[in-house]
């Protein structure tokens, strides 16, 4: 039984990468640290357990990163995906610090590997965790245990009590029992609110019921909401989230990365009304996969169907759920519950519009259509080689953009513009400071590690003074 | 390979892994998986035999139980491997012996030495059996030379034949690719001798829990190396006997005795350590059904090593006769049961590594 009478130097809320990076740094600086993780031990680690890599600046090749990736290019990449909705000072600070993130994690026992296969070839910019995020999370927990950090699983922080701007204690549910944790500082690393359907319904209505949550079901945003209600300044668009095209047959939460489908550029995609709604071949998939989640979320019943034929099968990574197969488009439509005549016409019109070209999967080729709306601008091949294939699609939500505002020392900002006395934040809960919109693969873990380390350092410094 | 429940389950899991691929850096299984899109029973058998059971991919898996996907590759592949041992066992039909394998191996470990002892008592002169023997030919005064050769040689020959036939059947059942160049053979031999795939991509494997260590790899090397040294000891002994005319017992510092001594020590350390690891490891990624056979085989190897060392220590005393009979009984029993035990894993693993080395070159 943990000692609930004790006053801890640092309470870390959450149990993902951002939380553990903070907790480990604070403990290494001599602070007494307690971690409250809502999930049970077997499901610990939040969205971080589903990740695969992080993006790191490097001036020269390392054992796991090729070539070099410098500040200006990193910054340009970020500027492009966010459309300028970022904080340049914070972003550049993060980019510079990202150079040391892999080393920190390695010292915590995380093993990196050179990227071998996979769709998004990112081995220049991103360092891959051997075994993925769960292996990373395991290593961080092992390090935390060795440092003597008290780790409470199955422990939800329900409220952080502020007294004249100071966080003094937290009300928690520890294995279902109401308890309190007293502390001298708090680091909030509890992720986003994407798994909170009630909250999503406020912006998305009934559509929210059809969203698949790709990661942890514990991302309820309880702490985020609680802090915002107590005068903490918010950042990011509450209505927005990052979403990808998932297989519609995936579980409603925690399906992880393997549920995503990469078949869109090699298919035509229709909604339940059997209408195409967007250029499937607009750009290479790594640059487009993130907009398709939102596109599907805006379709009737949040459903779409990617239709292709047997020649496309080997152009994309295999899917967990096999495609539905049929020998005619009509049969395929029936299997999907779509209007057979309509689908036959959509495919026939598309086939007629396909222009001659040389197909090159993965590269912007010259295979395009002419005369349909919307056009398909690359990888347009006639769909005429049975068996025909269909993958049903649904939006898979990765994370939400709403967060708490922080300064460059990871301190949470109050709505009066002053930094909070002793509350810090790291990870998804503050990522909106830097990622106002869009996403850069591997940047979530970078933000978590960088701000986790700063928060841990600052919290330890604060309590020692 | 027949379409068993295990095959169906292994296919379900491999289809998830093939869309995920987070574990591609651990071992040969995942690159081999990524070369395929569909998984026949033969493919899955191949992948299962490539798996060294390091458990790295279990502890790293975000879909491991209690997740609804329940991915547990080491457990599923261990079960599938055992099914493949049964399927390819020779003579056909003997595969049934892999069911309740723990009971079988234990029975052999008990019955073989008892029978050997009874036989020796029936054949040998009690005056020699229970008294200290020394000088050239001491062993053969207790158990006649021709009998040792017939029983040990015969059972060993049978083991070789049965396992060779099993290997042939396995190769036909899963690959059927002719071996055309030496490079893949060399690579497979290197991989199996170094147990590279128990390295977890370089930093060790998950012997007990999610922490990494090289303990299992080293213990296995101690056991395997010890076993090979003992084998070398017997072979040099035979060469001394037949070609050089040097008869046993040999001096402690002679080649056969030194090989046997250190081999026995290695086997004792290896088997003791592996037995201990089995008891402390996280049970979830382990195939419980197979544990009996594995414990029993480790126990049998331990007994062989222990009785051999004891025989060496007491060979100049009156206990030699009984110990020799026990040791020989254990060894003969081991040879007989070898083709129907965990021992075949080395052969199928070697063939799987060979096929993988071939596929990599073809890809
Ligand atoms: C499928 C998938 C793949 C991804 N792949 C990548 C990738 O390869 N690279 C990358 O950089 N990013 C990736 N991301 C994004 C990445 O997961 C996040 O940016 C990152 O994990 C955020 O870390 P975090 O520690 O802030 O949040 P999380 O890891 O989500 O941790 C939040 C923690 O807070 C806990 N918690 C929540 N509420 C409470 C409460 N009230 N009390 C106590 N504890 C609470 C949760 O249980 C959880 O442990 C991926 C996301 C998903 C869903
Ligand atoms: S074992 Fe799990 S993490 Fe590893 S490849 Fe398979 S599904 Fe992915
Ligand atoms: S050898 Fe290890 S990592 Fe590879 S499949 Fe087997 S248990 Fe998994």
């Amino acid at each position: 039984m943990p000692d609930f009478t004790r006053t801890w130097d640092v309470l870390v809320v959450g149990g993902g990468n951002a939380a553990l990076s903070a907790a480990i740094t604070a403990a290494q600086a001599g602070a007494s640290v307690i971690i409250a993780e809502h999930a049970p031990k077997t499901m610990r680690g939040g969205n971080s357990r589903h990740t695969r890599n992080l993006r790191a600046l490097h001036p020269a090749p390392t054992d796991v990163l090729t070539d070099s990736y410098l500040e200006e290019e990193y910054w340009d990449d970020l500027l492009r995906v966010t459309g300028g909705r970022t904080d340049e000072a914070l972003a550049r600070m993060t980019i510079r610090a990202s150079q040391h993130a892999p080393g920190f994690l390695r010292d915590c026992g995380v093993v990196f590997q050179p990227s071998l296969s996979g769709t998004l070839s990112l081995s220049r910019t991103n360092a891959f965790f051997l075994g993925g995020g769960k292996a990373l999370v395991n290593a961080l927990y092992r390090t935390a245990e060795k440092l003597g950090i008290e780790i409470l699983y199955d422990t939800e922080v329900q409220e952080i009590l502020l007294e004249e701007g100071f966080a003094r204690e937290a009300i928690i549910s520890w294995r279902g029992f109401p308890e309190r944790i007293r502390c001298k500082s708090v680091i909030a690393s509890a992720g986003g609110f994407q798994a909170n359907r009630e909250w999503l319904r406020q912006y998305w209505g009934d559509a929210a019921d059809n969203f698949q949550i790709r990661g942890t079901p514990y991302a309820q945003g309880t702490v985020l909401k609680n802090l915002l209600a107590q005068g903490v300044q918010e950042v990011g668009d509450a209505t927005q989230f990052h979403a990808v095209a998932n297989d519609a047959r995936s579980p409603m939460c925690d399906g992880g990365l393997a549920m995503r489908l990469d078949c869109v550029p090699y298919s035509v995609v229709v909604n339940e009304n059997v209408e195409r709604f967007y250029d499937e071949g607009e750009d290479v998939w790594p640059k487009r996969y993130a907009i398709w989640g939102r596109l599907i979320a805006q379709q009737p019943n949040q459903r779409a169907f990617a239709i292709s034929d047997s020649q496309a099968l080997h152009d994309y990574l295999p899917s967990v759920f096999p495609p539905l197969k049929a020998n005619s488009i009509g049969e395929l439509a029936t299997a999907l519950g779509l209007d057979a005549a309509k689908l036959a016409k959509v495919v026939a019109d598309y086939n007629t519009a396909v222009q001659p070209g040389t197909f090159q999967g993965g590269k912007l080729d010259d295979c395009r259509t002419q005369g349909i709306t919307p056009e398909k601008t690359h990888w347009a091949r006639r769909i005429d080689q049975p068996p025909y294939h269909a993958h049903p699609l649904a939006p898979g939500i990765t994370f939400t953009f709403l967060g708490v505002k922080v300064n460059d020392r990871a301190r949470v900002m109050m709505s009066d513009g002053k930094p909070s006395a002793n509350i810090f934040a790291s990870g998804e809960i503050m990522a909106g400071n830097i990622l106002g919109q869009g996403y850069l693969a591997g940047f979530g873990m970078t933000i978590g590690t960088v701000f986790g380390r700063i928060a841990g350092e600052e919290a330890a410094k604060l309590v020692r003074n | 390979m027949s379409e068993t429940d295990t095959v169906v389950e292994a296919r379900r899991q491999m289809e998830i892994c093939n869309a995920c691929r987070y574990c591609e850096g651990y071992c040969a299984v995942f690159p081999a998986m990524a070369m395929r899109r569909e998984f026949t029973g033969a493919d899955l058998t191949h992948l299962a035999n490539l798996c060294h059971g390091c458990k790295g991919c279990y502890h790293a898996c975000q879909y491991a139980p209690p997740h609804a996907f329940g991915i547990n590759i080491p457990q599923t592949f261990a079960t599938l491997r055992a099914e493949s041992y049964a399927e390819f066992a020779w003579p056909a039909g003997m595969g049934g012996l892999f069911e309740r394998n723990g009971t079988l191996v234990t029975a052999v470990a008990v019955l073989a030495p008892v029978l050997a002892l009874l036989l020796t008592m029936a054949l040998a002169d009690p005056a020699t059996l229970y008294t200290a023997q020394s000088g050239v030919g001491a062993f053969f005064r207790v158990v006649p030379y021709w009998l040792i050769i017939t029983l040990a040689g015969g059972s060993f020959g049978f083991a070789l034949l049965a396992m060779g036939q099993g290997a042939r059947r396995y190769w036909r059942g899963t690959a059927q690719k002719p071996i055309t160049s030496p490079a893949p053979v060399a690579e497979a031999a290197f991989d199996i001798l170094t147990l590279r795939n128990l390295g977890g991509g370089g930093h060790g494997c998950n012997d007990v829990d999610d922490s990494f260590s090289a303990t299992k790899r080293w213990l296995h090397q101690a056991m395997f190396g010890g076993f090979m040294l003992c084998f070398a000891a017997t072979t040099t002994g035979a060469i001394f006997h037949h070609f050089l005319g040097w008869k046993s017992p040999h001096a402690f510092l002679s080649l056969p005795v030194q090989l046997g001594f250190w081999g026995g020590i290695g086997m004792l350390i290896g088997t003791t350590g592996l037995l201990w690891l089995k008891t402390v490891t996280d049970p979830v990624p382990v195939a419980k059904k197979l544990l009996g056979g594995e414990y029993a085989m480790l126990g049998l190897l331990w007994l062989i090593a222990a009785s051999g060392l004891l025989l060496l220590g007491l060979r100049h005393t009156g206990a030699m006769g009984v110990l020799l009979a026990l040791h020989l009984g254990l060894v003969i029993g081991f040879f007989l049961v070898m083709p129907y035990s965990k021992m075949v894993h080395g052969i199928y693993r070697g063939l799987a590594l060979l096929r993988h080395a071939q596929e990599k070159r073809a890809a």
Side-chain angles (χ1 to χ4, degrees):
Chain A
M1 166 118 185
D3 180 2
F4 288 115
T5 60
R6 173 167 178 190
T7 301
W8 299 83
D9 287 342
V10 185
L11 161 64
V12 179
V13 186
N17 171 57
L20 290 157
S21 294
I24 289 168
T25 309
Q28 282 169 342
S32 63
V33 182
I34 184 165
I35 291 177
E37 156 68 308
H38 192 176
K41 186 170 181 183
T42 46
M43 297 306 251
R44 68 186 182 186
N47 275 1
S48 301
R49 64 197 284 277
H50 284 292
T51 63
R52 174 169 222 192
N53 56 47
L54 59 71
R55 186 172 286 252
L57 175 146
H58 54 286
T62 73
D63 48 350
V64 291
L65 291 158
T66 55
D67 212 339
S68 70
Y69 188 48
L70 300 175
E71 180 174 337
E72 285 315 309
E73 186 188 354
Y74 203 145
W75 165 245
D76 283 347
D77 286 342
L78 184 65
L79 206 56
R80 201 183 52 229
V81 298
T82 56
R85 293 184 64 168
T86 178
D87 175 328
E88 180 160 359
L90 274 189
R92 284 190 181 269
M93 188 276 286
T94 310
I95 289 172
R96 273 177 232 131
S98 76
Q99 183 178 353
H100 309 291
F104 167 78
L105 293 171
R106 184 168 298 173
D107 290 344
C108 297
V110 174
V111 185
F112 289 89
Q113 67 158 68
S115 151
L116 303 175
S117 66
T119 38
L120 319 175
S121 110
L122 291 167
S123 58
R124 183 171 73 88
T125 54
N126 290 34
F128 285 69
F129 319 131
L130 178 69
K134 187 170 171 194
L136 169 135
V137 162
N138 287 344
L140 294 180
Y141 273 104
R142 237 180 294 123
T143 304
E145 281 164 15
K146 271 192 219 133
L147 287 166
I149 294 174
E150 175 86 46
I151 302 167
L152 306 184
Y153 295 107
D154 215 341
T155 301
E156 182 189 17
V157 173
Q158 296 170 322
E159 218 181 319
I160 293 168
L161 299 181
L162 295 193
E163 228 175 79
E164 293 162 6
F166 268 86
R168 296 281 185 217
E169 61 181 334
I171 298 182
I172 63 166
S173 161
W174 173 71
R175 302 183 180 171
F177 296 101
E179 287 288 354
R180 281 163 190 257
I181 297 176
R182 276 166 260 276
C183 59
K184 296 183 190 157
S185 68
V186 172
I187 302 175
S189 314
F193 72 91
Q194 64 275 2
N196 189 331
R197 275 183 212 283
E198 276 313 304
W199 196 341
L200 288 172
R201 283 176 73 88
Q202 286 178 25
Y203 317 115
W204 288 84
D206 290 345
D209 292 343
N210 294 327
F211 295 165
Q212 296 173 349
I213 311 307
R214 301 176 72 204
T216 180
Y218 296 95
Q220 294 291 332
T222 311
V223 171
L224 174 62
K225 188 175 253 172
N226 176 245
L227 288 177
L228 295 181
Q230 298 188 80
V232 167
Q233 204 176 317
E234 70 171 55
V235 287
D237 186 342
T239 66
Q240 296 306 308
F241 48 68
H242 177 276
V244 305
N246 252 15
D247 194 305
R249 295 163 287 185
S250 314
M252 287 312 278
C253 68
D254 230 1
L257 172 117
M259 303 296 105
R260 57 89 181 77
L261 287 172
D262 301 330
C263 56
V264 169
Y266 312 110
S267 315
V268 293
V269 178
V270 298
N271 59 21
E272 285 194 343
N273 301 336
V274 201
E275 288 155 354
R276 286 179 61 242
F277 50 88
Y278 200 84
D279 176 4
E280 300 89 348
E282 190 178 40
D283 205 341
V284 290
W285 191 236
K287 292 200 180 151
R288 278 294 162 269
Y289 76 94
I291 69 163
W292 275 85
R294 179 92 47 82
L295 287 170
I296 297 163
Q298 289 158 346
Q299 303 310 312
N301 288 323
Q302 294 66 54
R303 275 289 177 285
F305 306 89
I307 314 289
S308 61
D309 62 8
S310 53
Q311 65 177 333
L313 194 60
H314 290 274
D315 294 328
Y316 55 91
L317 267 188
S319 53
V320 165
F321 303 99
L324 281 85
K325 288 183 196 164
N327 283 320
S328 72
I329 294 288
E331 267 174 57
L332 194 64
T334 313
L336 295 171
L338 298 177
D339 184 322
K342 253 179 146 177
L343 187 62
K345 179 160 169 20
V346 167
V347 173
D349 290 350
Y350 163 82
N351 282 345
T352 321
V354 168
Q355 302 298 307
T358 317
F359 178 85
Q360 279 182 293
K363 275 199 208 133
L364 290 174
D365 66 5
D366 60 350
C367 294
R368 50 173 298 125
T369 60
Q370 193 157 3
I372 48 172
T373 329
E375 300 286 5
K376 181 173 177 185
T377 52
H378 300 95
W379 308 293
R381 279 180 304 193
R382 293 170 60 85
I383 297 178
D384 56 6
Q385 294 182 23
Y388 299 99
H389 294 172
H391 290 278
L393 309 173
I397 316 294
T398 321
F399 55 79
T400 42
F401 282 104
L402 179 71
V404 296
K405 185 151 180 64
V406 294
N407 68 10
D408 63 349
R409 299 320 294 162
R411 214 179 267 250
V412 161
M413 303 298 288
M414 308 304 290
S415 30
D416 60 6
K418 294 205 185 98
S420 126
N422 65 348
I423 308 175
F424 302 84
S426 64
E428 207 61 74
I429 197 170
M430 49 63 61
N433 286 269
I434 302 171
L435 281 169
Q437 70 176 35
Y439 184 63
L440 204 51
F443 204 41
M445 292 297 275
T446 300
I447 293 176
T449 308
V450 167
F451 275 86
R453 295 181 69 191
I454 297 174
E457 204 180 295
E458 293 294 313
K461 218 190 277 173
L462 178 82
V463 297
R464 264 183 318 192
N465 289 336
Chain B
M1 191 71 197
S2 33
E3 194 71 4
T4 61
D5 290 352
T6 316
V7 169
V8 173
E9 174 61 8
R11 182 175 298 124
R12 179 188 75 84
Q13 296 195 20
M14 274 292 110
E15 281 169 356
I16 294 178
C17 289
N18 209 15
C20 167
R21 300 198 179 174
Y22 277 15
C23 291
E24 62 188 359
Y26 277 116
C27 67
V29 167
F30 295 91
M33 163 198 85
M35 291 180 210
R36 300 168 161 78
R37 225 179 156 97
E38 259 124 42
F39 300 95
T40 63
D43 288 331
L44 292 164
T45 304
H46 166 59
L47 295 173
N49 279 288
L50 260 187
C51 166
H52 290 50
C54 81
K55 301 184 269 189
C57 66
Y58 165 78
H59 289 287
C61 186
Q62 67 275 31
Y63 302 129
H67 191 282
F69 289 170
I71 301 289
N72 191 339
I73 299 292
Q75 186 188 66
T76 308
F77 275 0
T79 313
L80 188 53
R81 277 197 298 276
E83 286 181 10
S84 74
Y85 303 158
E87 172 121 358
F88 297 114
W90 182 88
M94 292 296 268
L97 294 180
F98 282 95
E99 285 291 318
R100 308 177 59 84
N101 199 244
T103 317
L104 172 76
V105 176
T106 311
V108 169
V110 173
L111 286 181
V114 169
L115 280 179
L117 201 57
L118 290 178
L119 195 65
T120 313
M121 290 196 304
L123 289 178
D125 175 358
T128 37
L129 183 54
Y130 302 113
T131 53
Q133 299 287 316
S134 59
V136 170
F139 292 140
F140 308 128
R141 264 173 257 139
V142 178
V143 186
Y145 180 71
W146 61 267
L147 192 62
I148 295 187
I149 287 296
T150 317
L151 289 181
S155 59
F156 181 58
F158 167 75
L160 282 187
L161 174 69
M163 295 204 299
Q165 290 293 332
R168 204 174 58 91
R169 290 164 57 100
Y170 175 86
W171 191 252
R172 285 201 175 165
T174 64
Q176 266 189 326
K177 292 232 176 49
I179 300 162
T180 48
S181 83
V185 180
E187 181 180 321
F190 176 81
D191 283 356
I192 198 156
L193 289 178
T194 59
L195 294 180
R196 194 168 62 86
N197 286 277
L198 267 187
H203 50 85
C205 56
N206 300 113
D207 294 336
V208 178
D209 51 23
D210 63 42
S211 62
F212 298 105
S213 85
T215 315
K216 182 172 168 188
R217 192 179 186 183
W218 287 121
L219 289 172
H220 191 285
Q221 291 296 44
M223 177 179 71
F224 179 70
F227 185 83
M228 293 319 276
L229 285 180
C230 291
F231 192 72
T234 315
T235 315
T236 33
I239 292 173
F240 279 18
H241 185 101
H242 286 283
F243 299 106
L244 304 174
W246 301 341
K247 304 271 154 48
S248 60
H250 302 288
F252 181 69
L253 289 177
S254 68
L255 189 59
V257 176
Q258 279 296 304
L259 288 170
F261 175 71
W262 293 108
I265 299 279
M267 277 176 73
L268 263 193
I269 294 175
T271 49
T272 309
L274 289 170
L275 281 165
W276 161 78
L277 260 189
K278 274 198 191 308
T279 57
V280 297
T281 195
D282 178 352
V284 183
V286 174
K288 271 149 227 89
K289 200 177 148 223
L290 307 182
L291 273 180
E294 295 178 3
Y295 273 122
M297 183 43 80
L298 284 171
L300 177 54
L301 288 169
W302 188 91
L303 283 176
I304 290 176
S307 61
L309 286 174
L310 209 57
L311 176 60
L312 178 63
L314 303 178
R315 61 186 170 159
H316 299 303
T317 73
M320 183 271 271
V322 170
L323 280 171
L324 178 65
L326 286 179
H327 182 65
L328 280 175
L330 286 165
V331 171
I332 291 163
F334 168 76
F335 284 149
L336 286 176
V337 79
M338 193 165 159
Y340 313 110
S341 75
K342 166 91 187 209
M343 292 304 289
V344 297
H345 77 281
I347 297 192
Y348 295 149
R349 172 104 3 107
L351 292 175
L353 284 166
L354 174 58
R355 181 180 175 195
H356 182 59
Q358 285 182 327
E359 278 183 358
K360 271 198 299 190
R361 281 168 179 74

